[in-house]
Amino acid sequence: MRVGEGRFCEEFSPGYYGVCAVGGMLSAGTTHLAITPLDVLKVNMQVNPIKYNSILSGFSTLWKEQGPSSLWRGWSGKLFGYGVQGGCKFGLYEYFKRLYSNVLVDQNRTLIFFLSSASAQVFADMALCPFEAVKVRVQTQPNFAKGLADGFPKLYKTEGPAGFYKGLLPLWGRNLPFSMVMFSTFEHSADLIYRNVFQRRKENCTRAQQLGVTCLAGYAAGAVGTIISNPADVIVSSLYNNKAENALQAAKNIGFSNLFTRSLPVRITLVGPLITMQWFFYDTIKVLSGLPTSGGSIRHLDETDSSAY
């Protein structure tokens, strides 16, 4: 069965971008919720690397000192915060990719991927930031709050509106490079698989084949993006726990080499499968709507290159 039969809507229509936004919201929210225990450990390793110095000992320490429920602390911030972020990120990426591909006709595809993902991520992180501010405090300060319901008013009372966006610049510093590398790596990996493995255009592949390409390209995207974004991720956790007044001071306190190595093993364990599952769920929703999966070249840029398929 070819993709396109029984479509819910046409590509690049308002309904299409709506499907992409809903798909991004559901895929990002549910996958981030599922890995909450690893995220709790990651944040604590970043804030207190001496106490939480490895994955196994870190889990053991959290379990013994704070109980098994501590591993799910901040779950609501993961579900709703990253759900909102995912909806903006995936939905706006599709919109900006179409926009830039039509405006920048003669430009390199990588530039279009970079611009599209960066534009989408700016808005996505603005939506995420308040949730992230509460989530990190809930995960690392057991007496701060139980979740979003009591965390939001407490943070507003103690720090005002600025407290919700204290980490926005480091968040952009973490997520903008990650998003740009992730989407570009995904797009190029998918193209590579279609060209060299299936040796046919995406439109001529089955749904199962397209979803298989999505998983392979998604894992590659997650692995590369993790390494690029690790320094900013460590700084974000430091700022939200008042370990430093600003990003420069946090980086100085942490140390250059530690920015790249601290919590990296747990982030690789966390992000690789997470991004793979996000792309898989996202594209599954698109397929169930009768739409083709993500990846594959932008059409007007591919028309002169069809012989490669």
Side-chain angles (χ1 to χ4, degrees):
M1 182 177 181
R2 295 287 178 84
V3 173
E5 297 177 10
R7 282 186 175 179
F8 173 77
C9 58
E10 292 300 317
E11 283 187 86
F12 313 121
S13 67
Y16 171 76
Y17 297 121
V19 169
C20 293
V22 171
M25 182 179 295
L26 293 175
S27 63
T30 54
T31 52
H32 274 279
L33 173 64
I35 50 82
T36 296
L38 279 170
D39 186 62
V40 172
L41 175 61
K42 179 209 73 174
V43 172
N44 280 280
M45 289 177 71
Q46 292 172 338
V47 174
N48 194 344
I50 297 177
K51 184 175 182 179
Y52 304 98
N53 55 18
S54 71
I55 295 177
L56 291 178
S57 66
F59 273 129
S60 178
T61 299
L62 284 170
W63 187 286
K64 291 178 181 178
E65 294 186 358
Q66 302 179 32
S69 62
S70 66
L71 299 178
W72 290 97
R73 188 177 294 128
W75 68 266
S76 57
K78 297 288 287 181
L79 175 62
F80 296 108
Y82 283 90
V84 170
Q85 186 210 42
C88 293
K89 180 169 66 176
F90 282 94
L92 288 175
Y93 172 75
E94 299 283 1
Y95 171 79
F96 283 120
K97 184 172 72 169
R98 178 68 170 177
L99 175 66
Y100 291 136
S101 67
N102 288 332
V103 173
L104 306 174
V105 177
D106 297 323
Q107 294 298 319
N108 183 275
R109 289 187 305 129
T110 301
L111 175 63
I112 293 175
F113 299 148
F114 279 173
L115 289 175
S116 303
S117 55
S119 299
Q121 195 66 50
V122 167
F123 294 101
D125 282 349
M126 291 176 67
L128 167 67
C129 202
F131 295 92
E132 185 78 351
V134 175
K135 178 192 75 74
V136 172
R137 286 171 172 82
V138 168
Q139 290 178 333
T140 58
Q141 301 171 23
N143 297 322
F144 176 77
K146 295 181 179 180
L148 295 179
D150 55 340
F152 268 114
K154 186 171 184 179
L155 181 57
Y156 181 83
K157 183 178 180 179
T158 56
E159 299 187 30
F164 292 109
Y165 287 94
K166 182 177 181 179
L168 181 59
L169 290 179
L171 202 61
W172 277 337
R174 177 188 75 183
N175 290 344
L176 280 172
F178 178 88
S179 183
M180 293 166 70
V181 170
M182 183 196 76
F183 278 103
S184 180
T185 301
F186 178 89
E187 297 274 10
H188 286 298
S189 297
D191 276 351
L192 185 67
I193 296 170
Y194 284 122
R195 291 174 186 271
N196 298 328
V197 177
F198 292 111
Q199 297 183 343
R200 67 177 76 119
R201 298 180 67 86
K202 180 177 71 174
E203 293 80 3
N204 296 325
C205 294
T206 66
R207 294 184 176 187
Q209 289 172 331
Q210 289 192 20
L211 289 174
V213 172
T214 292
C215 290
L216 292 174
Y219 190 86
V224 175
T226 299
I227 298 172
I228 298 296
S229 65
N230 200 67
D233 189 64
V234 176
I235 291 174
V236 167
S237 293
S238 178
L239 285 175
Y240 279 140
N241 283 275
N242 299 316
K243 299 293 184 178
E245 292 296 325
N246 54 61
L248 290 177
Q249 183 182 352
K252 182 178 180 180
N253 293 343
I254 295 167
F256 182 78
S257 62
N258 288 333
L259 288 173
F260 290 91
T261 59
R262 183 174 294 178
S263 76
L264 183 59
V266 70
R267 285 199 75 224
I268 291 177
T269 303
L270 179 75
V271 178
L274 173 70
I275 297 300
T276 303
M277 293 307 298
Q278 272 189 30
W279 279 108
F280 177 74
F281 288 161
Y282 174 65
D283 272 355
T284 297
I285 291 171
K286 291 175 73 174
V287 165
L288 292 176
S289 300
L291 298 168
T293 57
S294 305
S297 301
I298 299 173
R299 286 183 177 176
H300 80 261
L301 293 178
D302 265 356
E303 288 172 357
T304 59
D305 201 23
S306 60
S307 60
Y309 295 82

